[in-house]
Amino acid sequence: ATLGYALKQHGYDNKQSEILAAEGFALFLQARHDITPYSQAEPLLAALSKRYTLIALTNGNADINRTALGRYFTHSYRAEQLGRAKPDPGFYRDALKDASVAANRTLHIGDDYKNDIQAARDAGLLTLWFNPTGQPDEDAIADIEVQELKNIPDAVELFRQR
């Protein structure tokens, strides 16, 4: 809509604005999916996907299935699909309901404390906070906290054995 509006302001008629805006946004989305994941991301997802069902959740407009990492996920949800966004606990509940997964048997892994960890806890999920900077927060409560991606599988396994 913003692209279309800008084009109209620069002399394009409604039809031209609509076509050019759609083409421009398509190019943006194509570039948006041209990502370079952390070097440890793919081995981590490969290992986790052998033992667990993986679900991707995002507030963004990226579609995990348009990336090389998509093959590791059974389900994926974007805020626009669910009509809600993080940190709304309903975002998590709706995704889990659609995927037929129980919240108390789900571990949410995230790097943003408020939007990922606190919101997932509020929805009844277990949580793992990927906190690469080790940012201290005395109010932060997560079931697991790690600073390196490579430590996630071992941390999850130790947590499961408790």
Side-chain angles (χ1 to χ4, degrees):
T2 302
L3 285 173
Y5 176 79
L7 289 163
K8 288 175 194 172
Q9 296 303 306
H10 286 87
Y12 290 90
D13 66 35
N14 286 343
K15 183 71 171 168
Q16 288 174 310
S17 296
E18 187 178 304
I19 291 169
L20 291 173
E23 289 174 357
F25 196 69
L27 287 172
F28 163 78
L29 282 178
Q30 180 180 346
R32 174 79 172 92
H33 291 91
D34 185 15
I35 62 165
T36 303
Y38 292 117
S39 62
Q40 300 168 350
E42 189 157 2
L44 167 69
L45 292 172
L48 290 175
S49 68
K50 288 178 183 169
R51 296 204 58 192
Y52 307 102
T53 298
L54 302 185
I55 301 171
L57 303 170
T58 183
N59 280 352
N61 53 14
D63 178 355
I64 194 73
N65 294 310
R66 290 181 61 179
T67 73
L69 301 178
R71 67 179 178 255
Y72 299 110
F73 294 88
T74 305
H75 303 280
S76 65
Y77 300 94
R78 297 184 312 277
E80 68 182 277
Q81 292 172 294
L82 299 177
R84 303 177 192 241
K86 300 176 201 177
D88 181 344
F91 176 77
Y92 294 89
R93 289 185 194 114
D94 291 350
L96 294 178
K97 182 179 178 184
D98 185 76
S100 299
V101 178
N104 66 351
R105 298 193 35 84
T106 301
L107 177 70
H108 181 71
I109 300 172
D111 64 349
D112 182 287
Y113 185 78
K114 180 183 173 197
N115 287 323
D116 289 317
I117 305 308
Q118 185 61 53
R121 288 180 62 82
D122 290 347
L125 284 75
L126 302 168
T127 57
L128 185 152
W129 185 18
F130 171 55
N131 184 7
T133 62
Q135 105 188 32
D137 185 338
E138 61 273 357
D139 297 326
I141 300 170
D143 295 295
I144 309 168
E145 182 177 337
V146 299
Q147 292 182 321
E148 296 183 47
L149 288 176
K150 68 181 181 179
N151 294 337
I152 290 175
D154 289 341
V156 169
E157 192 56 38
L158 284 173
F159 181 76
R160 287 188 72 224
Q161 291 174 9
R162 286 195 220 169

